[in-house]
Amino acid sequence: MTEMVYGSMPARALEPIIPRWWRTIDKWSMTAVMVLFGIGLLLGLAASVPLASRNNLDPYYYVQKQALFGSLAMLVMAGTSMMSPQMIRRLGIMGFGIAVLALMALPFIGQDHGKGAVRWLSIGGFSLQPSEFLKPCFIIVTAWLMAAAQEVNGPPGKVMSLVITIIVSLFLAMQPDFGQTMLILFGWSVIYFVAGAPMMLIFSVVAAVVMAGFTSYNLSDHFARRIDAFLNPEVDPRSQIGYAVNAIQEGGFFGVGLGQGQVKWILPDAHTDFIIAVAAEEYGLVLVALILALFCTVIVRSLLRLTKERDPFARLAGSGLACIFGVQAMINMGVAVRLLPAKGMTLPFISYGGSSVIAAGLTVGMLLALTRSRPQGQMSDLFGRRGR
Amino acid sequence: MTRTPLRPLARILDARAKGENPDLIERENLRQRHEVMRDKAIGRARFRLGILSVSFAVAFAAIGLRMGYMSSETPMEPKSEAGASSIQAMRSDIVDREGRILATNMLTNSLYVQTADMVDPPRVAHELAALFPELSEEDLLRRFTDGRSFLWIRKMLSPEQQQAVHDIGDPGLLFGPREMRLYPNGNLAAHILGGASFGDEGVASAELIGVAGIEKALDLRLRDPAQAGVPLELTIDLTLQATMEEVLGAGMTMMQAKGAAGILMNVQTGEILAMASLPDFDPNDRPSPIVAKGADPADSPLFNRAVQGVYELGSTFKIFAAAQAMELGLVNPDTQIDTSSLQIGKKRITEFDGHNYGPTKSVAEIMEVSSNIGTGHIALMIGAERQQAFLTSLGLLEASPVELIEAPGAKPLRPARWPDIVTVTASFGHGISSSPLNLAAAYASVANGGIRVSPTLLKRTEAMKGIRVISPSVSRDAVDMLRRVVVSGTATLADVPGYRVGGKTGTADKPRPGGGYYTDRVVNTFAGVFPTDNPQYVLIVTMDEPSGTSGGGEVRSTAGWTAVPVAGEMIKRMAPLMGMVPVVETPPENEITAVKN
């Protein structure tokens, strides 16, 4: 007997969570990320040994640690990718609140890990870098505000998100951590761009940046020197970049062989900022090309899948996450090949770092959740209840 | 967007008339507007997301292409930390005052290995071990095969060795050009030059840095690229230096001394013309500075006795007491001084070997016989404070300012307090220690007319101008007294005919490390000035623990028998080299002159 009650929830043909997740997730991107993480462990075997020997630890101490954090990151990624866009939004907003509080607490209880910047919080023996977790959560919040602004009678989301962006950037710049500041500003710009920034504005901003660049080049000696050094085809072989370039040349197409690399012993940041140089030296162009292809797969596939997305929040948040993930990888590798001026930035999933890999897991998990294939428009539009 | 939409009034009125809810119409209207807006946003976003994807794809492709381009380039050789090849041929030569080479650079080769290019590591290891006895075959083979790509074998190769290595014929064996520091005169002036070794090393070149002596003290000048072609000119005269080392070495062997030092200095300018310390070493192959446990570092051949050796210089100090007393107007050379006895508290001052020089002697006679009691009385007239001030003004109580890295470390030893007993013993050079070089500078100051002299190894063309320590007439009197010591006092063996040598001997017991003095170990010093009618040079000769019999039967360990004849021989040989013309004293007629050659 069928009992029909007025106003009751419509019964949904419930598909079990895991099969539905498997059916709707972007399997290519997920596989690419897992392979990237595997490559990260493989390179950690090479690149973190000098660090361990400098700190008088077991040679594979950092590899074991990274494997532990990496597994955690994979769990975080899988768990997050099973969430619905609403859940992601809630998670992001709560996470943003916590991360901003932690960021504000840094000047008082933060720690300096020897680079002249206070970036770490120590909790129960673990060091956490709040700014890593702040990035994906910030993207979610910004996308939420921008999407809300697109509603009829919506709040002034653009202005609000801009204010938040500026405040967060100031906190990051205070640490100082200009790399993360740049990423935050870039993330906001991308979301604004996808949300429909007027073309006039984009062109005038580009023009203003170029003008500002010329002015500072002419007025500031420091700035001019850095740019000259970057433009100069002769690279100083004693600089970090010099060693990285030499390592890439040593590696050639197929590398000098497992564990034969030298650059990891020379560069203090071989396991983080210059991991790609270690990859190029020991495994050659082959592995570097694979890494590039994997990153490219994740980003381009995610962005293309998002073109089909009709929900503005999912679209904006997804493109923001994909772009900061991609840009971080791009800057890291662009520096090593001297396409970009020197700027310290980790390579997501590949560089060593607990906070970095877990935050990357969170970022990609959210991205995968937002790029899952969902019924787009047709049915929900017909029934007039769109998920928002 | 925030504008409140106008209600489609007609439909609402119509609905009201029919009794329907007008809010539904409004909501439907809103939904339609929203739909249109959203479709527009999707269209725009689709385009912009496309742009973003293409940009990322292009950026990653660019990085990939750039990486591929770089991978196809040939890598550079491993670079030294100091980088560029410009560190070659940079160290200035060192020459003596006549421009003769003391230190220069020579092109040689280092040997290194690129294991990747090596064809037959076991054979190479075997052959290298046969060529260079200090390398072991097993060790070489292990290092060739343990996975490293690059390793150094030797820092320097002789041309013969290089040819032999070349003949092994393995492509993995490579030579890196090296500038090595060469001291063509071997041991000559070893302590002054010190030595040099490699600093930063790369394949293409290596940096030469001074490790001791003037090479280290003036390292920055020698490495200064702006002065690379300008040799560093020293005050040393190679011939005088060689003569001094030869005579000093012969004397040391004869007296069975364990060490010896000599200094020849220009009294006007403070220029050091020769300075030697024995035993010495070859700066081309510096011995290890590590001293065996328990051994005295002062016995190492690396130890520069002339500069680093801080000794009680004994009676050579007496002239300073006499000169100061004359300068203060307390005495003149003929003033009679009590030489019978001197008692300070419980301590009784005695003469050497228990001599007794009678109740009184003149100041000049006190110097001549070297009376401790007489000098003590003079010192008591001067007083502790003025004595300290005078010795300080002569530079005897401070480290020597000479341009050697070892000099600042050799601080003279002086008692913490300065009671009367110290005043007395210091006047004859006991209980206070200084280096032979300080003594040379002090004698130069006394002999040159009274202007303070600071010793130097760098050419100084003009006479010292500066602090006057004694008046010219006192200087004249002091030099006359020194002449008298040589003519008829304790230093007669230094009286080289024709060169009018003056000087003063000193014999001091060596202090025990734990306190007190050895009874059988002495330091003998002769401080000489010549020619006394117009003083030009000071010569210091120091013998450390002489124990020979100097030809006689008994052990003669006073300076008069050890340092003085050595000094005499030096003057005899060096004065002609310096172009000094001997004043020939025409022998009185009707006398037979024995000519000895």
Side-chain angles (χ1 to χ4, degrees):
Chain A
M1 295 296 262
T2 312
E3 209 176 344
M4 294 182 68
V5 181
Y6 174 76
S8 72
M9 292 291 289
R12 204 155 33 127
L14 272 180
E15 195 181 352
I17 291 176
I18 304 280
R20 189 160 59 94
W21 171 75
W22 182 247
R23 183 170 56 78
T24 54
I25 197 104
D26 182 4
K27 292 181 218 38
W28 283 98
S29 292
M30 193 172 64
T31 314
V33 166
M34 294 199 162
V35 175
L36 277 177
F37 172 64
I39 293 174
L41 277 187
L42 179 73
L43 289 176
L45 285 172
S48 72
V49 173
L51 182 69
S53 76
R54 271 201 293 277
N55 294 345
N56 291 323
L57 293 165
D58 177 65
Y60 296 117
Y61 174 80
Y62 289 106
V63 183
Q64 289 163 11
K65 233 176 130 180
Q66 186 71 354
L68 184 74
F69 284 125
S71 320
L72 200 59
M74 291 296 117
L75 284 180
V76 168
M77 184 177 89
T80 323
S81 63
M82 288 178 195
M83 294 180 180
S84 68
Q86 288 98 314
M87 287 283 285
I88 294 289
R89 190 164 62 204
R90 282 171 210 159
L91 177 74
I93 291 165
M94 283 192 304
F96 182 73
I98 296 168
V100 166
L101 283 181
L103 196 64
M104 289 175 169
L106 275 183
F108 309 104
I109 56 170
Q111 288 178 336
D112 179 352
H113 281 199
K115 290 196 172 178
V118 183
R119 292 178 190 171
W120 285 269
L121 275 183
S122 189
I123 299 166
F126 287 98
S127 287
L128 261 172
Q129 198 180 348
S131 55
E132 288 284 355
F133 295 96
L134 179 74
K135 275 181 295 181
C137 298
F138 166 83
I139 295 294
I140 300 295
V141 168
T142 305
W144 173 50
L145 290 170
M146 291 266 195
Q150 291 191 347
E151 302 294 326
V152 175
N153 289 338
K158 287 169 205 154
V159 178
M160 285 163 71
S161 63
L162 183 59
V163 170
I164 290 176
T165 309
I166 289 169
I167 292 172
V168 169
S169 303
L170 286 179
F171 269 106
L172 285 173
M174 254 168 54
Q175 288 185 1
D177 190 343
F178 296 111
Q180 306 280 23
T181 313
M182 262 164 52
L183 280 180
I184 290 285
L185 290 172
F186 174 78
W188 184 84
S189 315
V190 161
I191 294 175
Y192 185 38
F193 173 69
V194 177
M199 279 296 177
M200 263 320 277
L201 183 66
I202 294 169
F203 287 131
S204 33
V205 166
V206 169
V209 166
V210 171
M211 291 253 292
F214 269 108
T215 319
S216 17
Y217 183 83
N218 287 327
L219 293 183
S220 157
D221 271 354
H222 171 74
F223 188 75
R225 253 202 310 279
R226 285 192 67 163
I227 297 299
D228 284 341
F230 169 63
L231 294 177
N232 183 3
E234 287 291 314
V235 46
D236 179 359
R238 280 166 288 167
S239 61
Q240 295 223 34
I241 300 286
Y243 284 116
V245 167
N246 195 38
I248 294 169
Q249 293 170 339
E250 284 280 357
F253 291 107
F254 300 104
V256 296
L258 261 167
Q260 305 283 305
Q262 294 298 318
V263 72
K264 61 191 181 191
W265 296 98
I266 300 167
L267 286 182
D269 287 336
H271 58 297
T272 54
D273 295 356
F274 284 99
I275 188 99
I276 199 74
V278 177
E281 188 181 26
E282 300 210 347
Y283 301 92
L285 184 64
V286 181
L287 185 72
V288 175
L290 177 63
I291 293 174
L292 280 166
L294 290 170
F295 273 113
C296 211
T297 306
V298 175
I299 297 150
V300 173
R301 272 191 70 90
S302 299
L303 289 176
L304 290 179
R305 280 171 81 94
L306 286 168
T307 55
K308 296 189 207 105
E309 178 65 56
R310 288 175 68 85
D311 177 21
F313 164 72
R315 186 172 60 227
L316 295 181
S319 43
L321 290 170
C323 288
I324 54 163
F325 180 72
V327 148
Q328 199 175 337
M330 200 180 85
I331 292 180
N332 176 288
M333 293 186 280
V335 168
V337 296
R338 290 189 81 233
L339 278 176
L340 295 170
K343 182 79 219 88
M345 201 157 293
T346 55
L347 191 53
F349 288 111
I350 309 256
S351 288
Y352 174 78
S355 294
S356 165
V357 75
I358 294 176
L362 185 69
T363 309
V364 174
M366 287 175 166
L367 180 61
L368 289 174
L370 294 171
T371 56
R372 280 166 71 173
S373 32
R374 269 181 292 276
Q376 293 295 348
Q378 308 92 352
M379 297 303 273
S380 59
D381 280 351
L382 285 179
F383 296 133
R385 41 173 182 82
R386 291 178 310 278
R388 62 175 164 84
Chain B
M1 315 276 164
T2 52
R3 196 165 52 93
T4 315
L6 281 174
R7 297 177 171 201
L9 197 54
R11 282 173 64 196
I12 289 173
L13 289 177
D14 190 35
R16 270 195 191 145
K18 287 180 187 164
E20 286 169 4
N21 187 357
D23 286 354
L24 285 176
I25 297 172
E26 194 189 337
R27 204 173 293 165
E28 174 60 21
N29 189 32
L30 204 63
R31 195 185 68 79
Q32 276 172 3
R33 284 187 48 215
H34 192 192
E35 204 88 325
V36 173
M37 232 173 72
R38 200 183 54 177
D39 287 346
K40 226 174 89 188
I42 287 173
R44 194 170 48 200
R46 208 163 266 178
F47 173 65
R48 294 192 175 184
L49 282 171
I51 294 181
L52 278 178
S53 327
V54 171
S55 319
F56 269 106
V58 167
F60 276 90
I63 291 173
L65 286 177
R66 171 92 183 177
M67 197 74 92
Y69 169 71
M70 280 166 68
S71 303
S72 61
E73 278 178 352
T74 16
M76 298 167 265
E77 293 266 28
K79 285 261 162 87
S80 117
E81 286 274 313
S85 56
S86 57
I87 54 179
Q88 210 166 322
M90 287 305 258
R91 204 171 176 82
S92 303
D93 287 353
I94 301 178
V95 298
D96 83 338
R97 62 187 304 118
E98 306 291 335
R100 289 170 290 218
I101 297 277
L102 295 176
T104 185
N105 302 326
M106 192 177 81
L107 195 66
T108 169
N109 281 287
S110 63
L111 175 61
Y112 65 96
V113 165
Q114 297 273 24
T115 48
D117 298 336
M118 196 168 262
V119 175
D120 187 359
R123 189 179 67 85
V124 173
H126 178 75
E127 301 223 2
L128 279 182
L131 271 176
F132 305 108
E134 79 275 11
L135 302 175
S136 102
E137 188 178 337
E138 298 83 49
D139 190 45
L140 277 177
L141 189 58
R142 183 181 57 73
R143 295 204 290 158
F144 288 158
T145 50
D146 67 357
R148 71 184 88 193
S149 62
F150 177 91
L151 66 122
W152 291 108
I153 304 289
R154 272 180 72 98
K155 295 195 173 202
M156 283 187 281
L157 293 176
S158 71
E160 292 85 357
Q161 287 168 334
Q162 192 190 350
Q163 186 57 47
V165 172
H166 195 78
D167 289 342
I168 297 177
D170 197 288
L173 291 169
L174 295 164
F175 303 108
R178 278 283 176 285
E179 291 265 296
M180 65 170 271
R181 198 65 163 164
L182 182 74
Y183 303 94
N185 307 304
N187 289 18
L188 209 61
H191 290 99
I192 297 171
L193 297 169
S197 77
F198 294 120
D200 276 331
E201 284 191 81
V203 162
S205 55
E207 197 178 28
L208 274 172
I209 51 167
V211 293
I214 202 156
E215 289 265 31
K216 186 164 185 190
L218 297 183
D219 195 38
L220 289 178
R221 151 69 181 86
L222 290 165
R223 278 157 70 180
D224 182 2
Q227 301 184 64
V230 187
L232 179 69
E233 247 181 292
L234 299 190
T235 55
I236 299 295
D237 185 303
L238 199 58
T239 54
L240 297 178
Q241 179 77 23
T243 311
M244 175 178 277
E245 291 192 12
E246 187 187 335
V247 176
L248 200 62
M252 186 175 93
T253 316
M254 200 165 129
M255 317 293 176
Q256 294 169 27
K258 82 173 185 185
I263 299 162
L264 179 68
M265 185 187 281
N266 183 316
V267 296
Q268 303 294 343
T269 60
E271 285 179 316
I272 299 167
L273 295 168
M275 177 161 70
S277 167
L278 294 175
D280 59 3
F281 61 95
D282 183 355
N284 291 305
D285 185 18
R286 252 178 97 80
S288 156
I290 299 154
V291 202
K293 211 169 170 195
D296 186 357
D299 290 339
S300 159
L302 293 174
F303 186 78
N304 186 349
R305 285 162 202 274
V307 177
Q308 289 171 284
V310 175
Y311 306 113
E312 294 197 356
L313 294 163
S315 309
T316 52
F317 268 47
K318 283 178 182 157
I319 194 67
F320 303 132
Q324 191 184 7
M326 290 191 287
E327 175 70 16
L328 294 169
L330 300 172
V331 295
N332 62 49
D334 301 320
T335 309
Q336 292 294 309
I337 303 287
D338 179 10
T339 51
S340 56
S341 68
L342 178 56
Q343 179 113 18
I344 308 286
K346 285 181 187 156
K347 176 101 169 125
R348 198 182 160 74
I349 306 296
T350 55
E351 301 291 6
F352 178 76
D353 258 3
H355 281 287
N356 183 355
Y357 298 120
T360 63
K361 280 210 178 305
S362 73
V363 175
E365 286 165 339
I366 286 172
M367 291 298 125
E368 189 182 321
V369 300
S370 195
S371 161
N372 293 345
I373 296 172
T375 316
H377 279 293
I378 296 174
L380 288 175
M381 292 162 76
I382 296 168
E385 227 165 89
R386 290 194 285 188
Q387 184 191 33
Q388 277 182 72
F390 186 65
L391 294 179
T392 307
S393 74
L394 290 172
L396 284 165
L397 301 184
E398 24 191 89
S400 172
V402 77
E403 300 85 356
L404 292 177
I405 199 72
E406 295 86 359
K411 292 221 167 55
L413 305 176
R414 50 182 294 182
R417 297 186 309 113
W418 205 287
D420 276 353
I421 181 70
V422 172
T423 308
V424 171
T425 58
S427 72
F428 50 85
H430 286 248
I432 172 171
S433 305
S434 199
S435 67
L437 184 59
N438 275 346
L439 185 70
Y443 262 74
S445 308
V446 169
N448 70 3
I451 304 294
R452 176 168 176 179
V453 161
S454 67
T456 183
L457 282 164
L458 300 181
K459 270 191 142 176
R460 201 182 266 161
T461 41
E462 285 178 26
M464 294 287 295
K465 290 194 194 89
I467 313 150
R468 173 164 292 282
V469 285
I470 50 173
S471 63
S473 64
V474 172
S475 167
R476 184 69 259 151
D477 287 341
V479 173
D480 285 343
M481 285 180 197
L482 293 176
R483 174 68 184 144
R484 202 166 148 179
V485 174
V486 172
V487 171
S488 52
T490 53
T492 47
L493 289 175
D495 191 13
V496 184
Y499 293 112
R500 303 169 307 284
V501 180
K504 184 75 196 76
T505 55
T507 302
D509 294 332
K510 280 187 104 172
R512 274 177 204 275
Y517 290 87
Y518 290 109
T519 50
D520 54 345
R521 300 190 188 177
V522 293
V523 175
N524 288 337
T525 309
F526 173 73
V529 177
F530 63 97
T532 46
D533 49 354
N534 175 25
Q536 286 180 29
Y537 300 102
V538 161
L539 176 70
I540 307 287
V541 173
T542 298
M543 289 286 178
D544 194 356
E545 295 184 26
S547 52
T549 52
S550 66
E554 58 183 311
V555 174
R556 287 165 157 177
S557 57
T558 56
W561 292 104
T562 58
V564 173
V566 172
E569 184 64 20
M570 277 185 198
I571 294 170
K572 199 186 282 173
R573 296 197 192 184
M574 292 199 294
L577 287 173
M578 291 187 285
M580 287 174 67
V581 181
V583 175
V584 183
E585 290 148 36
T586 36
E589 275 177 47
N590 304 327
E591 252 183 64
I592 296 162
T593 323
V595 178
K596 223 163 116 182
N597 48 358

